[in-house]
């Protein structure tokens, strides 16, 4: 252990070996006053009692920190409650008899009290030496705290100071249970003295500095963190109870803060900008804190204990010499860069000419924007920027200025002296914008967090119809995402009011806009996927174009009286699509098939084989199966859904059904979102707990997972197993088939470092999702798009058919099943195969026991032109697709499994009623303010993830699992929540549906240990069976000599390849920075281990697939141009250039490895030069490696 150099280390609490406990320690009752925490058990409480009534009664005797009304394993209140005191109450109230609780009805209830035996030591073991135990919470009073930032490596600029003498209550806490430091203080705002606190997780610290002082009893600590901590303000506890909640904790009284300002009223009308107006404490930018302590003898012992505990968590308190402070001053840089200058067009000789002189900002907007990128992320600080720095930026070529600023952003390091940047040798091209595929554009993005705003370097994104139409103004679009602080991820909904200030900040941003330099970005609209992930588009208007005009061009929405529906229709225009511009399809309207209030053809129509072939050719769609897709998800004007290939249509014909028509658009270009292709079937936690409840034995899942783990391990060394696994477990981006092709080309045999690294990544990714999601491969299954049987041959579901008796034979059960048609493009022998027999059918997620259906797979010759889709019947009383979690056919994916082991004992549990909630019309035209309000209300009430998490926890805890009343209620709420963005009806999850206990596999590290139990059910067993594996790339192995020696490469070609690689590596790093991805291997392969959580893992896997493909397509074309080739597939001209790309990459990697060895350092992942560049041409490299070439 490394020891601190500022004081002797005193021992922590050490338990002698002979008395070391093996479990909890029970305290003796008579010494209760010395306990850290005390819990009182209450028996006989009424079933409708509230936490507020209990708190009001028991808070008279001390500080209540928790109230819990208990339920049994059937989810029923059983008259038991518990109250926790910390510290213990002022008297032994459990000895009072009788004891009464006043109720809200004016009555009172007599209850019995008892002191619960304390089973906790309130100590926390050291992660380094478990025999050492620390108090769970250690508190030190502080004299003062300074808020500011480091303006030099050893100098802090102090922006605000709080003294304990003026505002008593300043306190520093170390919470070992939550692994965080907490600072509490009082501050006078708006004539009120309010209590605040901020908390910093251990994981967010690198180090804590101790500042030398002349006074031996004084200690100064300097806490500096790279991202803003969470600030909270304390409310009166009596006002923070929910009448339906079973659980209350004193944390419910702490409300999240976004601003601490002198002028709260000013915020209401101010646009969001990097520079805040009149802050008392700028909680987003002032992230260095100096705490001053006067330590008594007891405090010194406690301080040393705190220091030791922090060291055990790898947070050393190190001495900072020559520390200085700087007084508060306003940065002058804003006045430099915001001051406009006159731009004359020559000598003005007339009044008209004088008046025509334009006023422009001193920095080109692209430079100004990139400067704010660097400032917002903390790589530059405005207090370090001088007028000389701005002048030199202004006077240089704008592209070179962008080069410098983008280089800073890519380095992700603080620059203390910005003027030294002009002496750096920066490789040209950092700000270069290579041409991108026509379906892509460079997009500026911003992330608005509770405390600040971050701007991001423009990155390539796939466009939508709006950005394409206004391509000449593409740089005036800003894609904005609302998220928690950098390390926190998404802003989640809450049934409490503790996040109201955060949601108010979101509304202010949408209403008031965002200012960057001379541009003011105003709210435009949001796509449907964006909406679910808390994102929207903004637009900076120019004199002839503003947001309202763009919305008008998008379509006629005036007849839509519902805000949610209006927003969804606008959102159609922002779907990420690729336009088919080489033809104008001939569309014809056909009727929907409707019966019993259901639409059996909801969202699906037909497309001719000729038009499908044209789409494949124009968009460059290549399938590993070699067959054209059978289904396309599309947008066409105001229509949406899927188009299934039909031999009945001729030429470039397509049909549109009424269910697909949504609004009158002003454009009718066919746009493609995605197309059908085979993806493997994988189970997940929700599917497994439902199948378990329906009678599938636990052993089935455990055997499958065990076999998968063994096969993944063997695949690292065994080529046959690697190919088997990669060709069976096919991801939605079909990258496993790409990797399999690389193995077939011999790159695993020669241990080619990039291929081995990607293989290791794939294995780590698979194991990660086995651990966290129970993503178990099911070989006899597929994940497919759905469409309808246009021939009306398949038998549907009929309500009048008598239910199957429990003792029915297998054949009798099969006869009752509805039918589907599933044909895979590649079965055994790589030939198409039709799946016969009973199979499971489900959508993700499936929470209700009736969501997973059993259907019969049959062969219908007239449907054999459809491959890699599941074809549903249009006959019957109710659509089969609708019974699968309320699905439809406008682009839903379905899990199809024909593995007999996974057929449950219970078939086709009665499905849930998915009748949508009644929508309430607005009664007047929808306005932008209505849209932004709906956006914020959705954010606050979007309980989708909370409902799913609660459902999983209760399904594990309750005896009846997913069949319990609470889980059924949560399944209904989940269905409502899924439709919230279309219906506008929120799913309000009452507090009584929130779990009070959590299974260990959900990894709720922030929950008290008493609230976490070790699950013995199937998900707990599966979790315990898996150990995570870190991704470690192979970078010190030799590159493939078959490629290195294939050609004699001229120096000029090597130089061209090196320049192109620099541009490619920069583009990859932009994607990594934008999505918080750690390595380029993840971008190239799409197997991302961790990301920014702007969207869920499945959606992000699809999104990064599109981004990665666009990156590769764009640079393949650029490399072909650099090589003077006719195209990227011209082997004769491209092969030498591909080899040059490989040689350049090998040389850079070899140099990095040699340099690290010479310096005696280990080469870290973030220091590895890019390796993926030559693999833009992986097929060509494979051909080169396996062909004897004549040296040219």
């Amino acid at each position: 252990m490394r020891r601190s150099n500022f004081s002797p280390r005193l021992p922590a609490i050490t338990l002698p070996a002979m008395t070391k406990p093996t479990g909890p320690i029970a305290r003796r009752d008579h010494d209760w006053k010395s306990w850290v925490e005390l819990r009182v058990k209450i028996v006989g409480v009424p079933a409708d009692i509230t936490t507020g009534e209990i708190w009001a009664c028991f808070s008279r005797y001390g500080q209540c920190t928790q109230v819990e009304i208990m339920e049994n394993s059937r989810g029923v209140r059983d008259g038991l409650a518990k109250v926790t005191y910390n510290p213990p109450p002022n008297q032994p109230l459990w000895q009072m008899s009788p004891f009464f609780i006043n109720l809200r009805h004016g009555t009172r209830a007599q209850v019995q009290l008892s002191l619960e035996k304390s089973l906790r030591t309130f100590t926390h073991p050291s992660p380094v030496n478990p025999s050492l135990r620390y108090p769970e919470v250690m508190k030190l009073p502080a004299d003062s705290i300074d808020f500011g930032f480091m303006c030099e490596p050893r100098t802090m600029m102090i922006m605000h100071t709080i003294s304990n003498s003026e505002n008593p209550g300043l306190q520093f806490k170390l919470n070992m249970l939550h692994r965080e430091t907490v600072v509490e203080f009082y501050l006078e705002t708006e004539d009120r003295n309010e209590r605040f606190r901020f908390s910093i997780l251990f994981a967010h610290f690198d180090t804590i500095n101790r500042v030398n002082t002349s006074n031996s009893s004084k200690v100064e600590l300097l806490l500096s963190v790279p991202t803003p901590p969470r600030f909270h303000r304390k409310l009166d506890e009596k006002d923070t109870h929910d009448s339906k909640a079973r659980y209350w904790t004193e944390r419910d009284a702490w409300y999240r803060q976004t601003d601490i300002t002198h002028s709260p009223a000013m915020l209401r009308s101010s646009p969001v900008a990097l520079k805040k107006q009149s802050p008392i404490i700028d909680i987003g930018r002032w992230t260095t804190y100096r705490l001053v302590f006067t330590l008594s003898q007891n405090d010194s012992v406690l301080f040393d204990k705190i220091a030791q505990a922090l060291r055990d968590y790898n947070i050393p308190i190190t001495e900072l010499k020559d520390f200085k402070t700087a007084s508060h001053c306003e940065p002058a840089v804003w006045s430099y860069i915001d001051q406009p200058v006159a731009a004359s067009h020559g000598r003005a000789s007339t009044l008209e000419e004088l008046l025509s002189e334009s006023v422009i900002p001193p920095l080109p907007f692209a430079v100004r924007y990139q400067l704010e990128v660097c400032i917002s992320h903390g790589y530059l600080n405005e207090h370090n920027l001088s007028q000389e720095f701005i002048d030199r930026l202004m006077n240089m070529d704008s592209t070179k200025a962008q080069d410098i600023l983008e280089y800073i952003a890519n380095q992700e390091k603080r620059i203390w002296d910005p003027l030294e940047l002009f002496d750096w040798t920066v490789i040209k091209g950092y700000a270069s914008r290579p041409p991108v595929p026509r379906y892509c554009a460079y997009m500026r993005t911003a992330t608005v967090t509770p405390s600040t705003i971050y701007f991001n370097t423009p990155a390539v994104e796939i466009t939508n119809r709006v950005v394409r139409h206004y391509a000449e103004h593409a740089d005036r679009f800003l894609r904005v995402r609302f998220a928690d602080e950098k390390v926190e991820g998404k802003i989640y909904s809450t049934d409490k009011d503790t996040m109201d200030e955060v949601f108010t900040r979101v509304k202010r941003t949408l209403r008031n806009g965002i200012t960057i330099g001379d541009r003011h970005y105003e709210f435009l609209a949001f796509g449907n996927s964006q909406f679910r992930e808390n994102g929207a588009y903004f637009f900076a208007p120019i004199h002839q174009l503003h947001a309202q005009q763009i919305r008008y061009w998008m379509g006629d929405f005036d007849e839509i009286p519902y805000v949610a529906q209006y927003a969804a229709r606008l959102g159609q225009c922002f779907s990420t699509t690729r336009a088919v511009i080489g033809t104008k399809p001939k569309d014809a309207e056909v009727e929907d098939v409707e019966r019993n209030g259901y639409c059996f053809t909801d969202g699906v129509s037909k497309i001719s084989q000729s038009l499908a072939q044209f789409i494949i050719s124009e968009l460059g769609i290549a399938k590993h199966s070699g067959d054209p897709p059978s289904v396309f998800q599309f947008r066409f004007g105001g229509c949406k859904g899927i188009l299934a290939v039909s031999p009945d249509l001729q030429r470039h014909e397509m049909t549109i059904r009424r269910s697909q028509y949504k609004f009158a658009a002003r454009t009718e270009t066919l746009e493609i979102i995605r197309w059908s292709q085979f993806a493997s079937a994988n189970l997940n936690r929700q599917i497994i707990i439902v199948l378990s409840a329906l009678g599938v034995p636990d052993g089935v899942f455990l055997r499958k997972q065990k076999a998968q783990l063994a096969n993944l391990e063997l695949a690292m060394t065994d080529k046959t197993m690697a190919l088997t696994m990669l060709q069976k477990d096919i991801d939605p981006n079909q990258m496993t088939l790409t990797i399999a092709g690389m193995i077939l080309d011999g790159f695993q045999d020669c241990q080619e470092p990039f291929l081995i690294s990607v293989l290791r990544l794939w294995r780590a990714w698979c194991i990660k999702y086995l651990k966290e999601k129970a993503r178990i491969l099911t070989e006899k299954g597929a994940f497919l798009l759905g469409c309808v049987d246009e021939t009306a041959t398949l038998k549907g579901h009929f309500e009048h058919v008598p239910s199957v008796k429990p003792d029915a034979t297998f054949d009798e059960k099969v006869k009752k099943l509805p039918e589907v048609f599933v044909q895979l493009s590649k079965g055994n022998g790589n030939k198409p195969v039709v799946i016969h027999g009973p199979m499971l059918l489900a959508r993700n997620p499936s929470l209700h026991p009736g969501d997973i259906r059993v259907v019969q797979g049959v062969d219908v010759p007239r449907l054999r032109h459809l491959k890699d889709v599941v074809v549903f019947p249009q006959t019957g009383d109710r659509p089969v697709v609708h019974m699968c979690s309320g699905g439809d056919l406008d682009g839903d994916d379905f899990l199809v499994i024909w593995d007999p082991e996974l057929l449950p004992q219970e078939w086709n549990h009665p499905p849930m009623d998915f009748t949508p909630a009644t929508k309430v019309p607005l009664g007047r035209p929808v306005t932008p303010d209505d849209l932004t309000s709906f956006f914020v209300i959705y954010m606050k009430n979007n309980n989708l993830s909370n409902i799913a998490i609660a459902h999983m926890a209760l399904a594990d805890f309750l005896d009846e699992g997913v069949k319990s009343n609470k889980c059924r209620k949560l399944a209904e709420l989940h269905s409502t929540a899924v439709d919230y963005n279309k219906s506008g009806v929120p799913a309000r999850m009452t507090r009584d549906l929130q779990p009070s206990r959590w299974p260990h596999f959900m990894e709720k590290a922030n929950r008290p240990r008493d609230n976490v139990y070790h699950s013995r059910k199937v998900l707990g067993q599966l979790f315990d069976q898996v150990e995570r594996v870190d991704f470690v790339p192979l970078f010190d192995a030799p590159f493939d000599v078959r490629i290195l020696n294939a050609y004699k490469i001229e120096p000029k070609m090597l130089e061209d390849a090196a320049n192109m690689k620099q541009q490619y590596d920069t583009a990859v790093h932009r994607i990594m920075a934008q999505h918080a991805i750690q390595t380029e291997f993840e971008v190239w392969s799409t197997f991302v281990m961790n990301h920014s959580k702007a969207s869920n893992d499945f959606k992000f896997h699809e999104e990064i697939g599109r981004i990665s493909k666009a990156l590769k397509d764009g640079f393949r074309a650029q490399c072909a141009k650099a090589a003077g080739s006719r195209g990227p597939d011209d082997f004769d001209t491209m092969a030498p250039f591909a080899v040059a790309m490989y040689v350049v990459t090998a040389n850079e990697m070899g140099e990095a490895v040699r340099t690290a060895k010479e310096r005696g350092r280990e080469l870290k992942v973030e220091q590895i030069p890019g390796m993926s560049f030559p693999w833009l041409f992986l097929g060509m490299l494979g051909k080169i490696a396996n062909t004897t070439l004549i040296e040219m």
Side-chain angles (χ1 to χ4, degrees), residues 1085-1099:
S1085 69
T1086 75
F1087 297 125
V1088 177
M1089 297 292 286
N1090 293 289
H1091 57 93
S1092 61
K1093 303 299 181 184
S1095 55
N1096 64 47
D1097 291 341
F1098 179 77
K1099 288 291 184 185

Side-chain angles (χ1 to χ4, degrees), residues 827-874:
N828 293 330
N830 284 335
K831 295 181 179 180
V833 59
V834 176
I835 307 301
H836 296 80
M839 60 180 72
L840 296 177
L841 188 69
R843 286 176 67 241
N844 285 324
S846 293
L847 276 63
H848 188 273
D851 285 347
I852 300 181
R853 314 306 295 171
V854 180
V855 296
Q856 174 75 348
V858 298
D859 185 13
V860 178
R862 292 175 61 193
L863 297 175
R864 287 182 186 167
H865 60 283
L866 298 172
K867 301 182 182 71
D868 296 329
V869 294
V870 51
V871 185
F872 288 90
Q874 60 166 278

Side-chain angles (χ1 to χ4, degrees), residues 648-947:
D648 300 335
L649 300 184
Q650 304 299 317
R651 299 179 181 175
H652 287 191
E653 294 179 341
M654 55 185 280
T655 62
I656 296 294
R657 284 192 162 97
R658 181 67 192 177
S659 61
Q660 296 179 304
Y661 177 82
K662 304 302 179 182
F663 66 92
R666 306 188 202 283
T667 178
E668 286 194 344
T669 300
L670 178 61
E671 301 167 274
I672 302 300
I673 298 175
R674 62 187 181 122
W675 44 90
S676 58
Q677 57 187 6
F678 177 88
S680 61
N682 291 276
L683 302 175
N684 57 45
R685 285 179 171 178
Q686 286 92 353
I687 296 287
I688 289 171
I689 56 176
V690 173
L691 288 177
S692 179
L694 295 175
V696 177
D698 294 355
V700 172
F701 305 111
L702 291 164
R703 284 196 303 274
K704 289 182 180 297
Q705 180 171 268
K706 184 177 181 180
Q708 186 172 349
L709 287 168
N711 291 341
L712 285 169
E713 182 67 31
L714 184 58
M716 295 300 99
T717 55
D718 186 278
K719 176 179 177 179
T720 302
M721 180 55 70
L723 288 169
T724 299
M725 291 294 291
L726 289 164
Q727 292 170 343
K728 285 182 177 178
D729 191 0
I730 302 173
D731 66 297
N733 297 320
Q734 300 204 331
M735 285 302 299
T736 57
L737 297 180
T738 298
I739 299 169
M742 296 167 72
I743 292 175
L744 288 171
D745 284 331
F747 292 117
Q748 187 179 22
D749 293 334
C750 69
Q751 293 289 287
E752 204 289 327
F754 181 76
L755 181 275
I756 297 301
S757 297
V758 170
L759 261 184
R760 290 178 178 180
L761 172 62
W762 166 71
R763 171 177 173 250
W765 183 84
C766 289
I767 291 175
K768 168 187 168 69
Y769 284 103
L770 280 173
K771 184 75 170 179
E772 298 174 7
K773 309 282 188 183
R775 185 184 177 274
I776 301 173
L777 171 65
T778 303
E779 296 180 14
K780 297 178 180 179
F783 190 62
L784 307 172
L785 273 168
C787 64
V788 76
D789 169 23
E790 297 284 0
T791 70
T793 304
L794 296 171
K795 180 180 71 176
H797 168 83
F798 292 92
E799 302 283 359
H800 65 272
V801 175
S803 58
V804 179
K805 297 179 181 179
D807 59 348
T809 65
F810 183 83
D811 290 340
E812 288 174 334
K813 293 168 70 176
V814 168
K815 288 179 181 179
K816 306 284 187 180
L817 296 177
E819 297 171 342
V820 297
F821 174 81
V822 176
Q823 180 182 211
L824 305 183
S825 56
K826 283 193 175 182
N828 293 330
N830 284 335
K831 295 181 179 180
V833 59
V834 176
I835 307 301
H836 296 80
M839 60 180 72
L840 296 177
L841 188 69
R843 286 176 67 241
N844 285 324
S846 293
L847 276 63
H848 188 273
D851 285 347
I852 300 181
R853 314 306 295 171
V854 180
V855 296
Q856 174 75 348
V858 298
D859 185 13
V860 178
R862 292 175 61 193
L863 297 175
R864 287 182 186 167
H865 60 283
L866 298 172
K867 301 182 182 71
D868 296 329
V869 294
V870 51
V871 185
F872 288 90
Q874 60 166 278
T875 62
D877 298 327
R878 181 178 177 181
V880 174
V881 63
H882 189 259
M883 292 185 282
C884 295
S885 307
D888 56 31
L889 296 173
D890 71 349
D892 286 359
D893 296 290
F894 295 87
L895 188 69
V896 186
I897 297 175
W898 52 92
D899 186 340
E901 281 194 305
L902 291 171
L903 278 176
Q905 295 176 8
E906 181 184 353
W907 289 12
N908 292 335
H909 187 94
M912 196 167 71
D913 180 7
F914 294 100
T915 303
T918 303
K919 295 182 288 187
V920 180
L922 187 62
R924 57 171 174 77
V926 177
T927 67
D929 190 62
D930 295 322
L931 294 174
T932 57
S933 293
F934 175 61
F935 184 98
V936 177
I937 294 169
Y938 176 85
M939 280 186 67
K940 179 173 171 59
N941 293 296
N942 179 23
N943 284 312
L944 195 64
S945 60
N946 292 338
I947 292 169

Side-chain angles (χ1 to χ4, degrees), residues 1094-1106:
S1095 55
N1096 64 47
D1097 291 341
F1098 179 77
K1099 288 291 184 185
F1100 184 74
H1101 187 68
E1102 290 185 331
E1103 180 184 352
I1104 195 63
R1106 292 190 290 267

Side-chain angles (χ1 to χ4, degrees), residues 745-747 750 752-753 1038-1045 1142 1185:
D745 284 331
F747 292 117
C750 69
E752 204 289 327
F1039 280 55
D1040 193 337
V1041 295
R1042 297 178 301 170
I1043 301 173
L1044 294 173
N1045 300 330
Y1142 194 81

Side-chain angles (χ1 to χ4, degrees), residues 118-157:
S118 179
L119 297 178
R120 291 177 56 199
T121 61
F122 301 100
T123 59
H124 191 81
S126 162
V128 176
N129 182 0
S131 66
L132 298 178
R133 303 186 71 89
Y134 301 102
E136 279 184 359
V137 179
M138 293 178 272
K139 306 176 184 179
L140 268 180
D143 298 343
S144 65
I145 181 171
D146 297 316
F147 297 84
F149 53 87
M150 301 302 290
C151 56
E152 295 178 9
R154 296 179 182 276
T155 303
M156 175 186 180
M157 181 170 286

